[in-house]
Amino acid sequence: FARDKLGLVQSQVHRITKIIRDLVDFSRPSNYEVRTTDVVKVLTDAVEIVKMGKKAKQITFATHVRQQIPLLSLVPDQISQVFINILLNAVDALQEKAGTITTNFERDDAAVRVSITDNGCGIAAEQLPLAVASHATSKIADADDLFRVGTFGFRGEALASIAEVSQFVIRSRQATSDAGHEVEVAGGVRREVAPCGCPIGTTIDVRNLFYNTPVRRKFLRASQTEIGHCTEAFTRIALGQ
């Protein structure tokens, strides 16, 4: 068991090191290449990474594949980051209590649909638009919280970024509410909050990921900026342990 965990950590370190090296060296062509990708395996690896965190010790993870999912032409590292960010948000929602995070894969017409559900604290209806807004977070209540970070970071920005490049739905219900609410975002265009039926907790539904951005490389910033993003991500996860 320990050997498997160590091997997973080593593979991730090698992957991140390779990304950073490519970002620094402008003379090297981009390695963000579209490749034939097994998205189920990418998610399984992402779950294993998240499960290593201290906050995930009491959480049960389940993955269901409802139909045969074909290999897709994607950028594996980018897909992995999408899964990891959503999973870490679900871990935070459970507030270090026992709970369940369930992932469902299914074919939806010609696209693949991925849903990640937790039975955590849920999100208030009036706060759902902020969950997909840039530069927004529910992880701090006042300035003092900046000096006692108790979660995996401020990832409202991640949901906003995912919603910009997918057909995205977030559904949530708190224990004090009789019904749930949802927000749909298609390529960054958000609809109004609407009531829906859902259990207590939150479901993130992503379909047609990157459908409107076939060339992702042009969105990368200067090398120092991208290295800063990588460093910030490592720091947030470390502080959340």
Side-chain angles (χ1 to χ4, degrees):
F1 176 78
R3 186 179 296 109
D4 291 341
K5 293 293 186 183
L6 180 60
L8 182 62
V9 171
Q10 289 176 333
S11 68
Q12 292 301 314
V13 170
H14 291 325
R15 181 178 66 84
I16 297 298
T17 301
K18 180 171 175 290
I19 291 172
I20 293 175
R21 186 185 302 117
D22 292 338
L23 288 170
V24 172
D25 187 356
F26 279 112
S27 65
R28 186 175 303 183
S30 169
N31 282 314
Y32 286 93
E33 298 176 356
V34 175
R35 299 198 299 270
T36 301
T37 304
D38 183 346
V39 292
V40 177
K41 183 180 184 305
V42 172
L43 173 71
T44 301
D45 290 343
V47 169
E48 290 301 316
I49 293 171
V50 173
K51 284 169 66 176
M52 289 189 291
K54 183 175 65 176
K55 292 186 176 183
K57 297 301 182 184
Q58 300 185 70
I59 298 174
T60 300
F61 292 82
T63 300
H64 304 293
V65 182
R66 298 186 179 181
Q67 293 113 352
Q68 183 66 34
I69 304 299
L71 298 177
L72 302 175
S73 295
L74 299 168
V75 181
D77 287 337
Q78 293 175 342
I79 299 299
S80 178
Q81 286 304 309
V82 169
F83 291 149
I84 288 173
N85 275 287
I86 296 176
L87 287 166
L88 289 176
N89 270 316
V91 169
D92 283 343
L94 289 167
Q95 300 175 329
E96 299 192 56
K97 300 175 182 177
T100 303
I101 297 175
T102 304
T103 303
N104 290 297
F105 279 93
E106 61 181 311
R107 294 287 298 273
D108 188 355
D109 295 328
V112 173
R113 176 182 174 186
V114 182
S115 299
I116 298 179
T117 301
D118 67 70
N119 59 351
C121 60
I123 304 171
E126 63 271 16
Q127 293 183 345
L128 280 174
L130 283 176
V132 292
S134 297
H135 314 300
T137 179
S138 63
K139 306 297 177 71
I140 56 174
D142 54 48
D144 290 338
D145 284 346
L146 294 172
F147 301 97
R148 51 173 183 268
V149 179
T151 71
F152 282 109
F154 313 141
R155 277 180 317 284
E157 189 72 19
L159 293 184
S161 298
I162 296 167
E164 286 282 346
V165 294
S166 70
Q167 294 171 326
F168 178 98
V169 181
I170 179 169
R171 302 181 182 90
S172 195
R173 177 187 163 200
Q174 295 184 307
T176 55
S177 300
D178 294 329
H181 289 79
E182 69 178 14
V183 169
E184 295 185 26
V185 187
V189 179
R190 177 177 63 82
R191 295 185 179 180
E192 294 300 316
V193 176
C196 69
C198 65
I200 295 171
T202 301
T203 296
I204 303 291
D205 196 322
V206 181
R207 181 179 180 272
N208 260 348
L209 189 62
F210 300 134
Y211 78 103
N212 58 344
T213 54
V215 183
R216 293 296 312 282
R217 177 60 180 169
K218 67 180 181 180
F219 294 102
L220 289 176
R221 303 295 189 258
S223 61
Q224 290 302 317
T225 302
E226 295 296 344
I227 291 173
H229 293 329
C230 295
T231 303
E232 182 182 15
F234 282 125
T235 303
R236 288 178 176 178
I237 292 176
L239 289 173
Q241 297 299 309

